[in-house]
Amino acid sequence: MSGPTTLAARRVYAIVLRHLYLLRKSWVRIVEMAYWPTMQMVLWGFIAKFLATNSSWVAQVPGVLVSALLLWEILFRGQLGLSLSFIEELYSRNLGHLFASPLRPMELVAAMICVSAVRTVIGVGTAAVLAWVLYKTSIFSLGLPLVAFFANLLLTGWGIGLMVSALVMRYGLAAENLAWGAIFVTAPISGIYYPISVLPGWLQSIAWWLPTSHVFEGMRGVLMAGTFLWNEFWTAAALNVLFLAVGTGLFLASFNGARKRGMLVQIGE
Amino acid sequence: MSDVQRRGGPADHAIEVVGLVKRFKKVEAVRGISFAVPRGSATALLGGNGAGKTSTLSMLLGLLLPTAGTITILGDDIAHHRYRVLPRMNFTSPYVDLPKSLTVAENLKVFARLYGVPRIRVRIAELVDQLDIGDFLNRPYGTLSAGQRTRVSIAKALLNEPEVLLLDEPTASLDPDVGDRVRAQLMDYRHRSGATLLLASHNMPEVERMCDAVLMMRAGRIVDTGSPADLIARYGRRTMEEVFLDVARGAEAAAAPGASPEPRE
């Protein structure tokens, strides 16, 4: 005979089992568990390493960390805005309606980009006002180069956002957490709060393939030396063309895959 | 039958399907079906769960890519000219939804724009009147009852006054009164516009009332066709419900399949 405690334990185990079944079927969920602690540890490890030897250098330029944070938010909000617009359609189980209408996939991409731009302006605009109120740091003190940084970071965000949306279309809402975390894989090697030279050599060669590394080097050029680094700007722009092309290609390939597998009707359920 | 149907010939078919196959890894959901639906007709796609009805409708909409076969709708091969056809057709399905946080009016405005509907306000006002959805026009779609949602989905499906309307279980969640009104609306729309209707349904009285022709599906194949009256006579039954049960359980009709819609297997 089973007592109440045993029965309760069995019910608890049943629920645990239900989640283990889910976990076993989704590598995305397993990766997500390890992702945040790893990223935070790596990012702040490098920041600590840099500040240990260069704290006076940072102190010379008030607001450099706040400006870096705000630029980072442009990238993050740009990517998140695009990915979430797509995920909203999955939540609504609306993809079938959309793609049975005359809407073309590239038109959906264009719409998501527009929505992302609006979301980014709202999100970062609020943060920029707060930064001025709390720390007397205005990101607009960057002047015209801010436009160049803003455009490049948005383009990177959209490229990564398209890649994430492609994965969500491929793996369903199990991959949703990637929308919140994907961009952070670039954080430690983008040189947001420290120069790329702080990174180990092998990591530097990877970092220079990211448009964000060039943007944040450019930001430091403006804030520290008062110089706009045109070579960094053009390199970032060229890499962004590559990121957007890869993102768009993956999104379209994933769309075609979803049509083959019948996921446009079933996804989101 | 209308003149359009009597004339015959490929130009008079709103939908032509030849050798359509859909394979999902090891499962063959649709196994080489061929049929033609005359313009202006109402045709039912009948079959038990898993017969391949929804897969077939999804392929007609281009939401699902066929493994083999061709689909021609309103004279265009949808593999190559999908975007030429899509503005002229529409659909409802219980397997897709509309954004729940948007109001009914907002949803209709969005889809009216997607379909390039001219005079959006006028068209929505017409549909509000016809489908009696005015009471909840400004309520979020997610707060509506299943019956109300179905009516909104049908309003969305009629927004662009489609020439081809695909309906997957259009009255499945409606009470008999609302279901009857929706069927009347769909029939009225068909007679006014000359649209072609292809519907998957499990509601046999609905099929008898609305449809000129029936395609009976089982295990991914079309196993019989004919008008409801013809099928009832050939199976020696009194209702389509009984014919459906015979077909679903594998019984054969006494005579050869009928002529419309035209089987091509």
Side-chain angles (χ1 to χ4, degrees):
Chain A
M1 293 287 284
S2 299
T5 312
T6 312
L7 287 173
R10 279 184 188 171
R11 287 192 290 270
V12 170
Y13 178 63
I15 298 298
V16 171
L17 201 59
R18 171 245 183 280
H19 286 278
L20 289 179
Y21 285 147
L22 192 67
L23 210 57
R24 197 175 60 181
K25 289 173 190 159
S26 175
W27 62 267
V28 176
R29 286 187 166 92
I30 295 169
V31 169
E32 192 264 337
M33 285 178 191
Y35 186 78
W36 286 106
T38 308
M39 282 302 119
Q40 295 287 36
M41 185 270 291
V42 172
L43 179 65
W44 289 101
F46 283 125
I47 291 173
K49 183 183 168 192
F50 174 64
L51 290 180
T53 50
N54 296 280
S55 54
S56 59
W57 179 71
V58 174
Q60 287 166 12
V61 186
V64 67
L65 289 179
V66 173
S67 296
L69 178 70
L70 286 172
L71 287 183
W72 168 254
E73 281 298 314
I74 292 170
L75 175 72
F76 182 42
R77 296 294 140 192
Q79 178 262 316
L80 196 63
L82 190 143
S83 302
L84 287 186
S85 326
F86 183 72
I87 288 171
E88 287 277 356
E89 304 303 350
L90 299 194
Y91 283 145
S92 308
R93 296 168 66 216
N94 189 35
L95 277 189
H97 275 309
L98 291 182
F99 286 122
S101 82
L103 180 76
R104 288 162 169 77
M106 281 304 291
E107 292 167 349
L108 181 66
V109 168
M112 293 192 303
I113 281 174
C114 292
V115 174
S116 161
V118 172
R119 285 177 183 242
T120 305
V121 168
I122 293 170
V124 179
T126 310
V129 169
L130 268 179
W132 186 80
V133 171
L134 296 175
Y135 311 116
K136 300 290 176 236
T137 298
S138 172
I139 194 169
F140 298 105
S141 64
L142 283 167
L144 268 184
L146 176 65
V147 178
F149 299 147
F150 185 83
N152 259 323
L153 289 169
L154 264 186
L155 290 175
T156 313
W158 293 339
I160 296 171
L162 284 168
M163 294 175 206
V164 169
S165 300
L167 282 171
V168 171
M169 193 150 37
R170 173 66 185 81
Y171 293 103
L173 285 172
E176 179 195 352
N177 285 325
L178 284 174
W180 294 94
I183 207 83
F184 286 89
V185 88
T186 67
I189 52 174
S190 287
I192 308 163
Y193 305 110
Y194 43 79
I196 297 296
S197 57
V198 170
L199 300 174
W202 64 273
L203 215 47
Q204 285 184 36
S205 48
I206 297 173
W208 291 123
W209 280 96
L210 291 175
T212 44
S213 304
H214 299 277
V215 169
F216 287 105
E217 286 297 312
M219 175 201 75
R220 275 184 288 275
V222 172
L223 288 178
M224 305 294 188
T227 311
F228 184 73
L229 305 170
W230 282 99
N231 61 327
E232 299 289 5
F233 169 75
W234 288 118
T235 310
L239 286 170
N240 271 326
V241 171
L242 186 68
F243 265 57
L244 270 179
V246 171
T248 306
L250 283 176
F251 185 83
L252 294 178
S254 191
F255 171 72
N256 282 328
R259 281 180 76 200
K260 278 184 192 150
R261 296 191 313 278
M263 294 303 284
L264 292 182
V265 179
Q266 290 173 3
I267 203 165
E269 287 182 342
Chain B
M1 268 192 184
S2 69
D3 286 341
V4 174
Q5 283 173 277
R6 271 199 296 269
R7 279 205 308 274
D12 297 319
H13 294 143
I15 301 169
E16 282 186 275
V17 171
V18 179
L20 194 64
V21 176
K22 183 61 199 180
R23 203 174 293 121
F24 296 101
K25 292 183 180 170
K26 290 175 185 173
V27 179
E28 205 165 40
V30 177
R31 304 178 177 198
I33 62 171
S34 300
F35 62 90
V37 178
R39 281 181 195 257
S41 69
T43 300
L45 208 50
L46 296 189
N49 296 325
K53 306 181 301 294
T54 297
S55 292
T56 302
L57 290 181
S58 297
M59 285 189 277
L60 293 177
L61 287 162
L63 293 174
L64 183 63
L65 283 176
T67 307
T70 60
I71 299 168
T72 307
I73 298 178
L74 299 169
D76 281 316
D77 178 350
I78 67 157
H80 301 105
H81 302 295
R82 182 166 173 253
Y83 293 106
R84 209 150 68 188
V85 184
L86 286 175
R88 300 167 66 190
M89 56 194 293
N90 212 319
F91 83 112
T92 69
S93 168
Y95 302 107
V96 291
D97 233 330
L98 293 167
K100 293 177 183 65
S101 49
L102 269 61
T103 66
V104 172
E106 288 166 343
N107 268 305
L108 292 177
K109 283 177 195 166
V110 167
F111 279 94
R113 284 184 171 82
L114 282 176
Y115 279 93
V117 174
R119 299 183 304 129
I120 291 172
R121 279 170 190 265
V122 174
R123 183 63 189 140
I124 291 176
E126 286 169 0
L127 290 167
V128 165
D129 186 43
Q130 286 165 15
L131 291 160
D132 195 18
I133 57 175
D135 287 347
F136 43 87
L137 192 64
N138 293 312
R139 272 176 54 194
Y141 178 79
T143 65
L144 305 183
S145 69
Q148 289 169 331
R149 286 185 193 194
T150 304
R151 276 190 280 165
V152 173
S153 294
I154 289 172
K156 173 254 150 194
L158 296 179
L159 267 171
N160 59 328
E161 300 183 84
E163 293 165 63
V164 171
L165 186 54
L166 306 182
L167 304 158
D168 195 355
E169 300 178 38
T171 59
S173 56
L174 301 180
D175 67 48
D177 175 44
V178 178
D180 185 65
R181 280 195 281 158
V182 166
R183 276 188 284 277
Q185 281 299 335
L186 290 171
M187 287 164 71
D188 178 54
Y189 173 72
R190 177 193 158 200
H191 290 303
R192 274 190 291 109
S193 64
T196 307
L197 268 56
L198 179 62
L199 70 139
S201 177
H202 289 141
N203 184 329
M204 297 305 126
E206 175 172 281
V207 170
E208 284 182 57
R209 180 178 163 191
M210 288 182 69
C211 298
D212 315 307
V214 174
L215 299 161
M216 305 288 302
M217 288 190 79
R218 189 176 65 225
R221 291 196 172 88
I222 293 176
V223 292
D224 212 341
T225 66
S227 69
D230 174 40
L231 286 167
I232 289 167
R234 279 198 285 117
Y235 280 78
R237 297 295 188 179
R238 287 170 302 174
T239 63
M240 275 302 297
E241 183 102 27
E242 292 173 348
V243 174
F244 178 88
L245 290 174
D246 279 351
V247 172
R249 291 165 187 175
E252 299 299 329
S260 178
E262 297 110 55
R264 294 181 172 195
E265 286 176 297

